[in-house]
Amino acid sequence: MAHPSQLGFQDAASPVMEELLHFHDHALMIVLLISTLVLYIIVAMVSTKLTNKYILDSQEIEIVWTVLPAVILILIALPSLRLLYLMDEINDPHLTIKAMGHQWYWSYEYTDYEDLGFDSYMVPTQDLVPGQFRLLETDHRMVVPVESPIRVLVSAEDVLHSWAVPSLGVKMDAVPGRLNQTAFIASRPGVFYGQCSEICGANHSFMPIVVEAVPLEHFEKWSTMMLEDA
């Protein structure tokens, strides 16, 4: 959950998000070192009137400042490509959920069950109870089991939407007439918040996403209760 004045990312709640955080720190450290070197060179050139004649025409320095940026780009590109392929991997999901975007709410369908689906609307401000978050709470949460691969099929009924939960490292566009898929594994129990991340009309900021990760036995009890109420 994000908090006021937060500078970094939310705490990771999935293995993919942990990898994203590690890659962010890796790339940021390289940027910091480059920025420090460039700042030092600028200060040195401005603050001294001396000139090194070997720098004015040197094959060795030209080779270094050509090869070094290429090496740095490789050091960024290789972990980035690895992470891109990891994010696309969907191996033997234990549960498949279809998320449909509407103006302006989400509907969820648990396709492994015969009749388990519901609409998820934002809770109005006047109906919030103490402890709930304004503009982020929904009347029905998407409940998933912990430490289980979850496949989410994402589409939309009317306009473009985007299903995004930052702490799970998930963001997928919902396109009318097209079925996109993504996957995640919730590594710990908790409630994870997201919002539609594609401008979709007047109430774009009023269609939150709430994913609740619970132990498997609690998920089975919840699904049984939902099926009985259907």
Side-chain angles (χ1 to χ4, degrees):
M1 180 67 195
H3 56 80
S5 303
Q6 179 174 330
L7 295 179
F9 290 99
Q10 298 180 28
D11 292 338
S14 70
V16 167
M17 190 58 195
E18 289 179 10
E19 293 288 338
L20 286 169
L21 289 177
H22 293 156
F23 174 72
H24 170 264
D25 295 341
H26 167 73
L28 204 61
M29 185 55 65
I30 292 175
V31 170
L32 178 63
L33 294 174
I34 293 173
S35 302
T36 304
L37 176 62
V38 171
L39 180 62
Y40 167 76
I41 293 173
I42 291 173
V43 171
M45 291 182 64
V46 170
S47 61
T48 182
K49 296 181 180 179
L50 301 176
T51 301
N52 189 331
K53 65 179 183 180
Y54 295 107
I55 296 180
L56 296 177
D57 186 19
S58 173
Q59 290 283 356
E60 292 79 10
I61 289 179
E62 290 185 6
I63 291 173
V64 169
W65 74 38
T66 301
V67 173
L68 193 59
V71 172
I72 291 172
L73 288 176
I74 291 172
L75 289 176
I76 295 174
L78 291 180
S80 174
L81 288 171
R82 169 182 169 272
L83 194 50
L84 281 173
Y85 279 101
L86 277 177
M87 293 172 70
D88 273 343
E89 282 292 324
I90 301 178
N91 291 323
D92 191 23
H94 295 177
L95 183 67
T96 300
I97 303 172
K98 183 178 179 182
M100 287 287 293
H102 308 266
Q103 288 182 312
W104 287 272
Y105 64 96
W106 293 95
S107 62
Y108 299 103
E109 179 184 337
Y110 289 69
T111 58
D112 298 289
Y113 295 83
E114 185 174 348
D115 189 23
L116 178 52
F118 50 85
D119 296 331
S120 180
Y121 291 89
M122 185 191 76
V123 177
T125 303
Q126 63 271 18
D127 296 337
L128 291 173
V129 299
Q132 291 186 328
F133 299 102
R134 177 178 171 271
L135 301 183
L136 288 177
E137 203 64 56
T138 60
D139 56 354
H140 291 92
R141 295 172 172 176
M142 188 181 105
V143 181
V144 299
V146 172
E147 296 180 346
S148 296
I150 309 297
R151 175 171 55 190
V152 184
L153 305 176
V154 184
S155 187
E157 193 179 54
D158 34 47
V159 298
L160 290 175
H161 299 279
S162 184
W163 198 84
V165 183
S167 55
L168 294 173
V170 175
K171 181 177 180 181
M172 181 57 65
D173 286 343
V175 183
R178 177 171 178 161
L179 200 62
N180 293 328
Q181 71 173 355
T182 185
F184 66 87
I185 299 174
S187 53
R188 56 184 170 86
V191 180
F192 311 111
Y193 295 90
Q195 290 178 298
C196 177
S197 297
E198 189 75 47
I199 295 178
C200 56
N203 292 332
H204 157 65
S205 56
F206 304 118
M207 49 183 303
I209 300 158
V210 184
V211 178
E212 183 175 359
V214 298
L216 181 59
E217 57 269 21
H218 293 179
F219 174 78
E220 291 174 342
K221 292 178 182 177
W222 172 84
S223 59
T224 302
M225 181 186 68
M226 291 293 289
L227 289 170
E228 290 173 353
D229 294 342

